[in-house]
Amino acid sequence: MLTPPRTVVRRDAGLYALERALQRRGFRHVAGADEAGRGACAGPLVAAAALLPEGRRGEIDGLADSKLLTPASRERVYEEVVARALAYAVVVIPADEVDARGLHVCNLAAMRRALASLTTRPEYVLTDGFPVDGLEVPGLAVWKGDRVAACVAAASVLAKVTRDRLMVELDGRYPGYGFAEHKGYITAEHTAALREHGPCAEHRFSYVNVAAVSGRDGRPPRSRRPVVADGHEPMERSGRSGGTVGVALGEQPRPPAPVGEDVVMEGGVR
């Protein structure tokens, strides 16, 4: 039996070249997965998966790595991805789960769940940076995948816009930290606010900089909350229950549910 020739895709061949090459090899449904919030010390970790249609319908004007887009451009591209995708899914991991399970474990689990939640089963999976096992379909981890593969870029936009919206909501709940501006990342302004106010319920106490201002002498605690002298937690919960929360699923041609109007909520409330 003849072995098919090896396919070589140049990194400068364009955002859709890798998916088109896989589709020519028989993998019609190529899904991408990415996350937002790995480097933040406050707020949730958000992962998303997207499966774009073949051909021109799957080509979205302005689609790129979400970090390279302006907020207005991300919102516009987000709406296009939701409208055009064959399927998409977004999964939110709360800060307390990141503390309990660890960032990398939560990151892989969230991408795995997002991909498994796609209502159109992918035949091949592309992920940004990290390989994800247990998918039961072939896959490839692509370095800077959100700048190389359209489906990964689409997932990055879904994750980023979802997380940014959540952080704006948290800014109203926890004023004084500037979550609406820096989205929980370790900026100079956020560091100053942490020193002035201490951590809130949405900070990740397993992060060294948060642990340092929580009375643990810079040592990341194993548990979600530091213990204080009177035996009570220093902050009250915001009312959101623990556990992984799936915030959006979508499928075409059915009108997709916008992020925040959940099709599936596991461990959460509407």
Side-chain angles (χ1 to χ4, degrees), residues 202-217:
E202 292 295 333
H203 279 95
R204 301 176 186 176
F205 285 79
S206 56
Y207 280 46
V208 171
N209 66 319
V210 178
V213 296
S214 66
R216 289 286 182 143
D217 297 325

Side-chain angles (χ1 to χ4, degrees), residues 61-229:
D61 184 41
L63 178 61
D65 172 10
S66 61
K67 297 183 291 297
L68 302 179
L69 299 174
T70 65
S73 296
R74 278 197 299 267
E75 289 284 347
R76 181 188 61 78
V77 172
Y78 171 89
E79 297 298 337
E80 284 291 311
V81 170
V82 167
R84 296 192 185 204
L86 290 176
Y88 70 92
V90 181
V91 170
V92 174
I93 305 291
D96 54 358
E97 189 169 341
V98 173
D99 283 337
R101 301 179 64 193
L103 176 66
H104 189 61
V105 170
C106 286
N107 187 39
L108 296 183
M111 287 199 287
R112 189 181 298 112
R113 275 200 56 213
L115 288 162
S117 298
L118 292 173
T119 49
T120 298
R121 179 179 171 83
E123 298 170 1
Y124 201 98
V125 168
L126 300 172
T127 54
D128 183 30
F130 300 100
V132 179
D133 58 6
L135 300 178
E136 300 181 354
V137 294
L140 177 67
V142 183
W143 184 67
K144 292 190 178 297
D146 45 11
R147 303 186 186 188
V148 176
C151 58
V152 180
S156 78
V157 170
L158 291 174
K160 173 66 174 169
V161 170
T162 300
R163 188 177 189 280
D164 283 359
R165 291 176 179 179
L166 292 172
M167 294 308 296
V168 170
E169 291 178 11
L170 290 178
D171 184 68
R173 197 178 306 167
Y174 301 99
Y177 294 97
F179 288 153
E181 286 75 38
H182 56 67
K183 307 300 189 294
Y185 288 90
I186 309 170
T187 63
E189 294 78 12
H190 191 185
T191 298
L194 262 174
R195 290 172 178 165
E196 179 180 358
H197 305 296
C200 75
E202 292 295 333
H203 279 95
R204 301 176 186 176
F205 285 79
S206 56
Y207 280 46
V208 171
N209 66 319
V210 178
V213 296
S214 66
R216 289 286 182 143
D217 297 325
R219 291 175 290 122
R222 296 296 298 172
S223 61
R224 171 71 179 121
R225 294 287 184 267
V227 178
V228 294

